[in-house]
Amino acid sequence: MLDLKKIKDEFKLKLGKKLNLSEINQIKSDLFGKNGHITLEFKNIGKIAEAERKNFASELNLVKGELQNLINIKVREIENIEINEKLEKEKIDITLPERNFIRGKIHPVSQTIDEISSIFSEIGFSVAEGPDVENEYNNFTALNTPDNHPARDMHDTFYLDPKKEKLLRTHTSPVQIRTMLNDKPPFKIIAPGRTYRSDSDQTHTPMFHQVEGLHIDTDINMGHLKGCLNYFIKEFFEVKNIKMRFRPSHFPFTEPSAEVDIGYEIKNGKIVIGEGDKWLEILGCGMVHPNVLKNVKVNPDKFQGYAFGIGIDRLAMLKYGIKDLRAFFECDYRWLNHFGFDPLDVPTNYRGLSR
Ligand code: PHE
């Protein structure tokens, strides 16, 4: 009994101190391990005189329980301290100012291509693509452009080999050919992309962008062409009314052919689309020439339709008030910061992300 009290007092004292987990484990094994004090006392029970045995056993159990309890409390204390330390360390200080970061801007041409694609996709056009490096056949011959046509002149076309077989496409119209050669009618596609001509001034750059449109089916006429372009221009410029003029023109791959002007006026130094009595040419179009259809093995007696080619950069300049086309491609970061679009704050009619 005396031993028990000694053990109890000694270990109560120890457990009253500040301990870490390994010190507690040590105490545990000192008490309850194979040769621990309490374990040994239990082994001693048999040696104790019978008269005292019962008393001793119950006292031993009490001491055991008490010490175990103290240990448990101590362990929980340590765990709490650890959790609190962790919480303290991982605390997020929301009063800190945000880190400075630079968000890129969407180039006005990319923005415009996205807008054009979404507008046409809503009326059933899908987007087709072709390579910038084209062959002479797709770019000219298949498009009913005879050998002596001025468009083939070295001045306009960047040829890539002396034989003039490979070139940088001068328009997106070869995508018409690629699309029709690869598939069966009906066709209803737009093809936005880069185009190249040897030309440079305030409104011309050697590389520029066009979007081609092609709609071929059994019953497509010029009324559809007019309706489609009228819809597009209104949607693109976000105006209710648009003044449009179809001017007779010539392209080898369309018959009849037209160039389309839209009405505008300058109000307080700003261009207003759809009103006024000034005209601005924005695209070429027409009914696809039967020879083109024959070249791609589409029967012109059964299928017909329209095509158009719109200058994307010019549309972007008009819509976003950019005066010099060359600035588009000079990669001036300050310019892009000013005219570019915040990817998280896109204009209302930009359907690519917001719908
Ligand atoms: N490809 C013509 C150009 O670049 C535009 C066009 C396309 C005209 C389709 C008619 C039909 O000028």
Side-chain angles (χ1 to χ4, degrees):
M1 287 289 204
L2 217 97
D3 269 359
L4 277 188
K5 186 161 169 13
K6 234 181 90 190
I7 296 169
K8 186 171 108 174
D9 289 347
E10 186 190 330
F11 280 89
K12 266 176 100 170
L13 200 75
K14 279 191 181 171
L15 285 164
K17 291 183 185 149
K18 192 170 181 277
L19 300 168
N20 62 31
L21 217 55
S22 79
E23 287 165 330
I24 290 193
N25 282 336
Q26 185 59 47
I27 291 176
K28 255 186 182 169
S29 93
D30 287 349
L31 285 170
F32 310 113
K34 218 168 153 208
N35 293 313
H37 296 290
I38 300 290
T39 317
L40 290 179
E41 291 302 327
F42 271 103
K43 282 184 185 161
N44 277 340
I45 288 182
K47 293 179 196 154
I48 289 181
E50 229 187 300
E52 287 172 30
R53 198 179 290 158
K54 211 175 156 201
N55 233 343
F56 179 83
S58 78
E59 185 62 26
L60 179 58
N61 270 324
L62 279 180
V63 171
K64 181 190 169 193
E66 198 176 331
L67 291 174
Q68 208 144 40
N69 213 12
L70 281 177
I71 289 176
N72 289 345
I73 291 172
K74 211 67 193 176
V75 169
R76 242 175 279 135
E77 250 175 49
I78 291 179
E79 280 171 356
N80 271 341
I81 290 173
E82 273 178 11
I83 289 176
N84 283 335
E85 272 175 5
K86 223 174 159 189
L87 283 176
E88 193 62 33
K89 253 194 254 153
E90 291 173 6
K91 202 158 81 177
I92 297 170
D93 183 355
I94 54 167
T95 64
L96 274 178
E98 68 185 76
R99 275 202 200 113
N100 211 3
F101 73 98
I102 300 169
R103 193 192 286 159
K105 290 278 180 91
I106 296 175
H107 194 285
V109 172
S110 306
Q111 166 75 22
T112 305
I113 290 177
D114 280 354
E115 289 177 20
I116 292 173
S117 303
S118 10
I119 293 170
F120 279 110
S121 70
E122 279 186 6
I123 50 170
F125 285 83
S126 49
V127 177
E129 278 184 326
D132 293 10
V133 174
E134 257 301 356
N135 56 50
E136 175 276 332
Y137 180 79
N138 286 345
N139 196 80
F140 291 127
T141 311
L143 286 162
N144 197 36
T145 308
D147 268 348
N148 55 359
H149 194 277
R152 289 192 173 212
D153 195 296
M154 276 292 266
H155 255 340
D156 287 323
T157 309
F158 290 112
Y159 287 99
L160 300 177
D161 60 342
K163 282 186 172 168
K164 295 188 179 177
E165 280 166 0
K166 289 253 180 295
L167 46 81
L168 292 175
R169 66 179 180 187
T170 58
H171 50 181
T172 41
S173 300
V175 186
Q176 287 186 36
I177 301 302
R178 288 177 175 271
T179 304
M180 292 194 283
L181 281 175
N182 282 336
D183 223 332
K184 294 245 158 328
F187 303 105
K188 198 173 182 186
I189 56 116
I190 56 159
R194 283 183 290 267
T195 45
Y196 305 82
R197 283 179 208 175
S198 181
D199 212 352
S200 185
D201 59 36
Q202 197 178 348
T203 52
H204 295 91
T205 48
M207 194 267 315
F208 56 106
H209 295 82
Q210 284 191 337
V211 57
E212 193 77 9
L214 174 73
H215 188 185
I216 303 285
D217 209 331
T218 48
D219 203 17
I220 298 296
N221 58 48
M222 233 173 145
H224 296 112
L225 170 63
K226 282 181 122 173
C228 169
L229 290 176
N230 191 270
Y231 162 82
F232 166 70
I233 297 294
K234 282 198 290 208
E235 285 286 307
F236 182 78
F237 287 107
E238 298 171 67
V239 291
K240 283 216 168 64
N241 295 306
I242 190 86
K243 270 170 74 178
M244 276 179 100
R245 179 166 82 175
F246 280 67
R247 227 174 346 94
S249 184
H250 171 78
F251 299 102
F253 34 90
T254 45
E255 183 59 40
S257 302
E259 274 168 325
V260 173
D261 304 333
I262 53 175
Y264 75 99
E265 65 180 336
I266 308 279
K267 256 191 193 164
N268 305 324
K270 279 201 160 172
I271 187 159
V272 182
I273 304 288
E275 295 167 32
D277 47 16
K278 293 193 168 64
W279 294 101
L280 203 87
E281 183 201 322
I282 54 156
L283 64 93
C285 61
M287 300 304 291
V288 176
H289 197 292
N291 287 349
V292 175
L293 295 176
K294 278 184 212 151
N295 288 339
V296 294
K297 311 270 177 301
V298 171
N299 181 356
D301 294 329
K302 195 165 168 216
F303 292 100
Q304 58 184 326
Y306 59 81
F308 54 81
I310 310 176
I312 292 177
D313 315 276
R314 188 168 282 194
L315 286 190
M317 287 169 80
L318 282 176
K319 183 161 176 180
Y320 297 115
I322 300 165
K323 291 210 171 69
D324 192 334
L325 174 67
R326 290 169 296 194
F328 272 132
F329 311 118
E330 275 167 2
C331 300
D332 182 339
Y333 192 68
R334 290 161 308 175
W335 181 90
L336 186 58
N337 237 349
H338 180 76
F339 285 107
F341 292 85
D342 188 330
L344 300 180
D345 185 20
V346 285
T348 48
N349 82 334
Y350 178 65
R351 302 130 200 259
L353 286 173
S354 58
R355 287 192 180 184

